[in-house]
Amino acid sequence: MPAEKPTSTMRSLERAIDVLEVLDRTHQAVRLSDIARQAGLPVATTQRILNVLEARGRVERDATGYRPGIGMIFGAHAYLTTSPLLVAAHPVLADLAAETGLTASLFRRHDRSRIVLARSPGKRPLRYELPVGERLPLHLGAGKVLLAHMAAPEVDALLDEIGDHVLASGAGVSPDQLRDELGRIRERGFSEARNEREPGMASIAAALPAPGDGPHVAVQVAGLIDDIPPDRVEGLGVEVRRAAYAITRRLT
């Protein structure tokens, strides 16, 4: 069956989404010319799209530029309250945090990032704020447990893009070193991270079992490095894998 040809309505919708995705990636106001450049659209087209989005509350504007508007909260709230994944995950995360004393989180892969979907606080607060909806890298911290199960061409493309990188500890990591670590993660069934994204922090994560093209969702426990000493790692690995399977069972 031949592929459906894009209509003018479909192209308009895609362009509007391109504009919103530009605003999603930033934490500050963006000028019209920069939005057009990043979205790959003419300035006049971008302006018309922004006018419609602003009228619907999806975009706000001030003297410094454009940013997401209050209307974006409506869709986010609907997702957070109706998603079967989150309904299944919340009680499991609460139990995991209570049993381990660590902050338990659920995140999902989106393109080359992971997004925080839910959290349950541990006994000691983390040193940093990590709100639901935050976009985080895949090659640092708990994101590696999802990166480890991605298709080889996707992994190669991402590693080529990031190249050599530096952890929060100051240690350098090459693409080959990261590839070796991804292999160890697949063997163990969980990831371990220390001083990678935030100094003084550690995490253990496991992916939810998934058929097809591999896991897209993972469970993590995180805390201060002293909260996750080396002799506790294997036990926490069992706990996060158990939580991952529990969420999966609730979804079936």
Side-chain angles (χ1 to χ4, degrees):
M1 182 177 179
E4 182 181 357
K5 293 183 179 180
T7 65
S8 59
T9 300
M10 291 171 59
R11 287 194 294 270
S12 297
L13 177 58
E14 289 173 348
R15 289 169 178 170
I17 292 174
D18 289 340
V19 168
L20 287 173
E21 287 182 342
V22 170
L23 297 177
D24 282 344
R25 293 193 295 266
T26 184
H27 293 278
Q28 59 187 8
V30 188
R31 295 180 302 175
L32 170 62
S33 58
D34 291 331
I35 296 172
R37 176 178 52 81
Q38 293 181 47
L41 297 172
V43 171
T45 300
T46 305
Q47 182 68 80
R48 288 195 297 270
I49 292 170
L50 287 168
N51 288 344
V52 173
L53 293 173
E54 184 179 8
R56 296 297 185 95
R58 266 60 182 178
V59 164
E60 294 178 353
R61 174 179 49 166
D62 59 22
T64 61
Y66 294 87
R67 59 175 57 85
I70 191 171
M72 299 300 290
I73 294 176
F74 306 146
H77 180 264
Y79 175 77
L80 293 174
T81 55
T82 64
S83 166
L85 172 63
L86 296 183
V87 171
H90 280 303
V92 177
L93 293 178
D95 289 345
L96 182 61
E99 290 170 4
T100 64
L102 303 171
T103 296
S105 304
L106 185 82
F107 54 88
R108 182 170 191 161
R109 178 163 69 92
H110 178 71
D111 294 331
R112 293 185 176 182
S113 302
R114 57 185 172 107
I115 312 299
V116 181
L117 296 183
R119 307 191 79 196
S120 188
K123 292 179 180 178
R124 285 208 285 179
L126 301 182
R127 290 176 175 171
Y128 55 91
E129 181 70 20
L130 193 61
V132 169
E134 185 76 9
R135 188 190 300 260
L136 302 171
L138 285 174
H139 66 285
L140 295 174
K144 293 180 297 183
V145 77
L146 294 178
L147 183 59
H149 295 285
M150 288 169 57
E154 290 184 285
V155 174
D156 291 340
L158 179 59
L159 297 191
D160 288 343
E161 180 180 309
I162 63 175
D164 295 335
H165 58 282
V166 179
L167 306 180
S169 64
V173 180
S174 71
D176 286 340
Q177 289 174 315
L178 183 51
R179 281 190 181 89
D180 290 342
E181 184 176 4
L182 297 179
R184 291 192 293 272
I185 290 171
R186 287 190 291 270
E187 291 175 1
R188 299 177 83 182
F190 64 91
S191 67
E192 175 186 2
R194 294 176 180 274
N195 283 316
E196 290 199 5
R197 203 179 57 79
E198 294 285 342
M201 305 302 298
S203 69
I204 306 292
L208 272 64
D213 59 349
H216 290 265
V217 182
V219 176
Q220 167 196 269
V221 289
L224 303 178
I225 282 184
D226 292 343
D227 296 329
I228 306 179
D231 61 1
R232 198 184 178 194
V233 169
E234 291 298 327
L236 289 173
V238 172
E239 292 294 331
V240 293
R241 280 181 291 174
R242 184 178 297 156
Y245 278 104
I247 295 172
T248 302
R249 286 195 299 271
R250 285 173 171 264
L251 288 168
T252 56

